[in-house]
Amino acid sequence: MTEKKKKVVVTGGSGMLGKWVVKHFVEQGYEVLSVDTRQPEEAVCPTLIADLDDLGQTYSVLAGADAVVHMAAVPRVGIVPNDATFRNNVMSTYNILEAASTLGIKKVVIASSESSYGICFAVHPLAPEYVPMDEAHPQLPQDSYGLSKVVNELTADMFHRRTGIQVVSFRLGNVIQPDWYERFPSWINNPEERERILWSYIDTRDVAEACRLAIEADGLGSVALNLASDETSMAVPSRELMEARYPQVQDFRAPLEGHEALLSSDKVMKLLGWKPKYRWREELDKLNK
């Protein structure tokens, strides 16, 4: 007898990152339902239009699912008013976890962000306390987007305590889709570029694989994990980047002898066996051939 495919609901499946998550799960043999506020440019699975701020609709779209990958969100500050950013991101995530827990869904992945550390959108410029910055680094957002991600991680912790649901919150570095590598030469030698994201990047395809590995793993509880490449997006060595833009930082927790990432993904590599497959130099070479 053929084993029934597991069903995964991907929210935000029509978005820049979500479409790659959808594609990966489909290619890996999962039954996938994409949920968004608009249809995708290319349909690789059914898409349901729904408002995840509405708990009733959230129950409906999750019915029958084995797992959820929640990518839907206002993706940064400045798109809608601050209160709308906070309300949308927090309530949609609460509703996903409420509905999933009640429906008996055991595993959820949610998109958190490096913005939760507070550096990205700081009104008053903020330096990291140490580098590479791991998950123990204080989260000190000054904006509603970063705050929404901190709240969502706490919401995940609460639902895990209450119901035992497994929730992996990925603190995503700067997400890059494949055709964006052609942009890299415009910044790779300029330390002032991308300093607020600690020069991080992560390929959409690497994010998609990490989401699948998180869904397939057991016993993780509720855990927040940085997810970024193991190198910076720069041609300037990492220690030189820090000296140029964050000279006040003196706490170095790795040798930093080359282009090592300053947003550490060591924990996700250990827990999930994940490693980035797509690196900017190789991808740029492919585009230039």
Side-chain angles (χ1 to χ4, degrees), residues 9 13 15 33 57 75 94 99 108 133 143 146 149 156 165 187 192-193 205 231 241 254 257 270 285:
V9 173
L33 174 65
Q57 291 187 45
Y94 180 90
V108 177
M133 197 164 64
D143 62 282
K149 297 303 185 179
I165 191 171
W187 66 61
E192 67 274 14
E193 296 282 343
R205 296 164 291 183
E231 63 174 4
L241 291 171
E257 296 171 342
K270 292 174 183 176
D285 285 344

Side-chain angles (χ1 to χ4, degrees), residues 41-57:
E41 295 177 2
E42 177 186 2
V44 297
C45 73
T47 295
L48 202 58
I49 304 301
D51 178 6
L52 299 177
D53 284 349
D54 183 316
L55 183 57
Q57 291 187 45

Side-chain angles (χ1 to χ4, degrees), residues 55-280:
L55 183 57
Q57 291 187 45
T58 307
Y59 271 103
S60 295
V61 300
L62 296 191
D66 296 293
V68 185
V69 179
H70 179 45
M71 297 282 116
V74 176
R76 58 178 173 81
V77 299
I79 297 175
V80 298
N82 291 335
D83 63 309
T85 298
F86 182 80
R87 182 171 59 250
N88 175 85
N89 290 359
V90 168
M91 287 311 304
S92 64
T93 301
Y94 180 90
N95 287 346
I96 286 288
L97 294 171
E98 173 76 31
S101 296
T102 304
L103 292 168
I105 297 169
K106 303 296 185 184
K107 295 178 180 179
V108 177
V109 170
I110 64 175
S112 189
S113 173
E114 65 183 349
S115 300
S116 67
Y117 294 113
I119 298 169
C120 295
F121 302 119
V123 176
H124 307 289
L126 186 67
E129 294 188 3
Y130 60 86
V131 291
M133 197 164 64
D134 60 16
E135 293 83 358
H137 191 282
Q139 292 173 294
L140 302 169
Q142 300 172 25
D143 62 282
S144 66
Y145 176 76
L147 178 61
S148 76
K149 297 303 185 179
V150 174
V151 172
N152 288 346
E153 292 180 12
L154 293 173
T155 302
D157 292 344
M158 182 276 288
F159 275 103
H160 171 67
R161 286 193 295 270
R162 194 170 88 188
T163 71
I165 191 171
Q166 175 176 293
V167 188
V168 176
S169 304
F170 282 129
R171 295 177 184 170
L172 299 171
N174 180 233
V175 178
I176 300 291
Q177 62 183 27
D179 60 346
W180 289 7
Y181 286 106
E182 62 187 14
R183 305 177 185 182
F184 273 57
S186 69
W187 66 61
I188 58 175
N189 293 300
N190 302 317
E192 67 274 14
E193 296 282 343
R194 300 166 65 78
E195 64 182 40
R196 291 252 182 151
I197 55 173
L198 294 185
W199 306 280
S200 73
Y201 79 101
I202 178 72
D203 192 290
T204 52
R205 296 164 291 183
D206 282 329
V207 176
E209 182 176 45
C211 290
R212 177 180 57 81
L213 292 172
I215 291 298
E216 293 175 351
D218 295 316
L220 298 179
S222 178
V223 61
L225 300 172
N226 290 340
L227 193 63
S229 180
D230 56 2
E231 63 174 4
T232 70
S233 59
M234 309 296 288
V236 179
S238 298
R239 191 171 283 271
E240 291 182 24
L241 291 171
M242 291 301 297
E243 290 171 354
R245 307 308 298 176
Y246 295 110
Q248 68 272 47
V249 178
Q250 298 298 313
D251 190 350
F252 292 88
R253 301 189 178 184
L256 298 185
E257 296 171 342
H259 299 89
E260 300 94 335
L262 295 164
L263 180 67
S264 172
S265 296
D266 287 352
K267 190 173 181 179
V268 70
M269 293 181 191
K270 292 174 183 176
L271 281 182
L272 299 183
W274 172 89
K275 289 185 178 180
K277 294 179 178 177
Y278 301 94
R279 292 179 170 83
W280 71 265

